[in-house]
Amino acid sequence: MAAVSTTVPAVKERLALSALTMTVLVVAVALSAGVGSFAGLALIRRLGLVAAMRAAVVATAAALLLIGWAPDRAMAAVAYGLSGMALGCIDVSANTRAAAVERHYGRSIFASFYAAWSAAGVAAALLTAGTARLGWSAEYTLTAQAGLVLALALTVRSHALPAESPFAVSDHEESVELGRGLWWRLAPFGLVLLVAYVIDSTVSSWSTLYLRQTLDTALSVAPLAYAAYQVGTVTGRACADHLVRTIGPVAVVRSATLLTATALAGLAAAPAWPYAVLAAACTGLGVSALVPLCLASAGRLRPGAAEAVLARMNVFNYTGVLVGGAASGVVGSTGHFRLAYAIPAALALAILATARSFNHRFPA
């Protein structure tokens, strides 16, 4: 997905797409990812986690190739839609496994899964910047990215948890009754997830274009804000589990929220690209812990049906991606990308009202 985001300017220029058209494509990715989330849930129940994940990884590689070599706008739209579908399936399958492993250990480790996700985002962004520096076109950059993603399909395999674990996942999770009141219990986490993905989508989808257009940087420099954002995200998620065990989830959520709001304000006011890159890194550092903490907390509401709960949480996830990507794209298409970062800075403060909902306890 980092490969998709950081090649937006190159694809836009190659196909002569307007900023508004690229916004529509970003919206299509979010919508198709929401559909892919529930399709992934169906695949998990029918084929199992490993098969669902492999299928999604292969589909992602195919989407990257299609985006890179799309001859026209119609094919590009299909390719971006396929990438969203694959992302939704990967999300629900990886989150389900992460929830099961965390329940088995009985302590906070969910963020470590997301740290690995973000580390790959850094590598992909730097690869895009490096190939642009060498003069590669978007076609060859995305082909190289697709080859790396396809290699992941060979590494996806099952790791069984001990059967005697009281937190091990049942083979019949879908039979667990979710209850009508589940949506209300998910609401606080859903709000945090919504705002977090508005911020994530705004930085991920448009930071490259922000540096390129507003701050007038070269194509080889423009992806660095995304890379810095992901570096901050990796750092924050690598530390999040330890911080949760040390100072508690409520303090982590509050501190992360204040840092995120301050960093976004700095990104909006950046006078030159080095300041924007630093602000993007701080934004990633702040927002990084919010998503895994939300999903881990939600998964514990119905431990026997984590995959169904997490699929529902993805409604908030992709609504945030949809709102963030579309709103910032529309604002950016009018030449006001700075405003597109100032607005999420204010939204981030709303998370403070939900912090108490994260005061959970792990089983002994």
Side-chain angles (χ1 to χ4, degrees), residues 18-30:
S18 67
L20 186 58
T21 301
M22 288 307 304
T23 300
V24 172
L25 290 178
V26 170
V27 169
V29 171

Side-chain angles (χ1 to χ4, degrees), residues 198-298:
V198 165
I199 296 168
D200 180 78
S201 178
T202 302
V203 178
S204 298
S205 299
W206 302 110
S207 62
T208 304
L209 208 57
Y210 174 52
L211 263 66
R212 175 68 171 163
Q213 291 187 357
T214 304
L215 300 181
D216 196 27
T217 61
L219 277 174
S220 59
V221 174
L224 294 182
Y226 182 90
Y229 172 75
Q230 292 292 354
V231 168
T233 301
V234 172
T235 305
R237 287 173 174 169
C239 300
D241 290 322
H242 175 72
L243 288 173
V244 167
R245 295 193 293 266
T246 303
I247 65 176
V250 175
V252 171
V253 170
R254 286 173 176 164
S255 301
T257 299
L258 293 174
L259 176 59
T260 300
T262 303
L264 280 171
L267 185 59
W273 72 262
Y275 297 95
V277 169
L278 177 60
C282 291
T283 302
L285 188 65
V287 79
S288 59
L290 298 177
V291 172
L293 280 178
C294 280
L295 296 174
S297 299

Side-chain angles (χ1 to χ4, degrees), residues 80-290:
Y80 279 107
L82 178 61
S83 71
M85 286 280 290
L87 171 65
C89 185
I90 288 174
D91 263 359
V92 70
S93 53
N95 288 337
T96 298
R97 189 56 176 172
V101 173
E102 183 174 87
R103 285 200 308 275
H104 170 71
Y105 281 94
R107 58 186 174 89
S108 179
I109 61 170
F110 206 104
S112 300
F113 283 82
Y114 272 77
W117 171 279
S118 300
V122 175
L126 292 176
L127 179 57
T128 300
T131 55
R133 183 80 174 178
L134 294 173
W136 287 24
S137 64
E139 297 95 312
Y140 294 105
T141 296
L142 286 167
T143 298
Q145 303 269 25
L148 293 173
V149 170
L150 189 60
L152 292 177
L154 302 175
T155 71
V156 179
R157 58 193 178 91
S158 177
H159 299 271
L161 294 175
E164 65 272 13
S165 169
F167 313 118
V169 182
S170 168
D171 291 334
H172 304 286
E173 293 176 359
E174 66 274 11
S175 64
V176 176
E177 184 67 36
L178 294 180
R180 295 181 179 180
L182 180 62
W183 281 108
W184 288 107
R185 297 185 66 188
L186 289 177
F189 307 122
L191 174 62
V192 177
L193 203 62
L194 177 66
V195 174
Y197 271 101
V198 165
I199 296 168
D200 180 78
S201 178
T202 302
V203 178
S204 298
S205 299
W206 302 110
S207 62
T208 304
L209 208 57
Y210 174 52
L211 263 66
R212 175 68 171 163
Q213 291 187 357
T214 304
L215 300 181
D216 196 27
T217 61
L219 277 174
S220 59
V221 174
L224 294 182
Y226 182 90
Y229 172 75
Q230 292 292 354
V231 168
T233 301
V234 172
T235 305
R237 287 173 174 169
C239 300
D241 290 322
H242 175 72
L243 288 173
V244 167
R245 295 193 293 266
T246 303
I247 65 176
V250 175
V252 171
V253 170
R254 286 173 176 164
S255 301
T257 299
L258 293 174
L259 176 59
T260 300
T262 303
L264 280 171
L267 185 59
W273 72 262
Y275 297 95
V277 169
L278 177 60
C282 291
T283 302
L285 188 65
V287 79
S288 59
L290 298 177

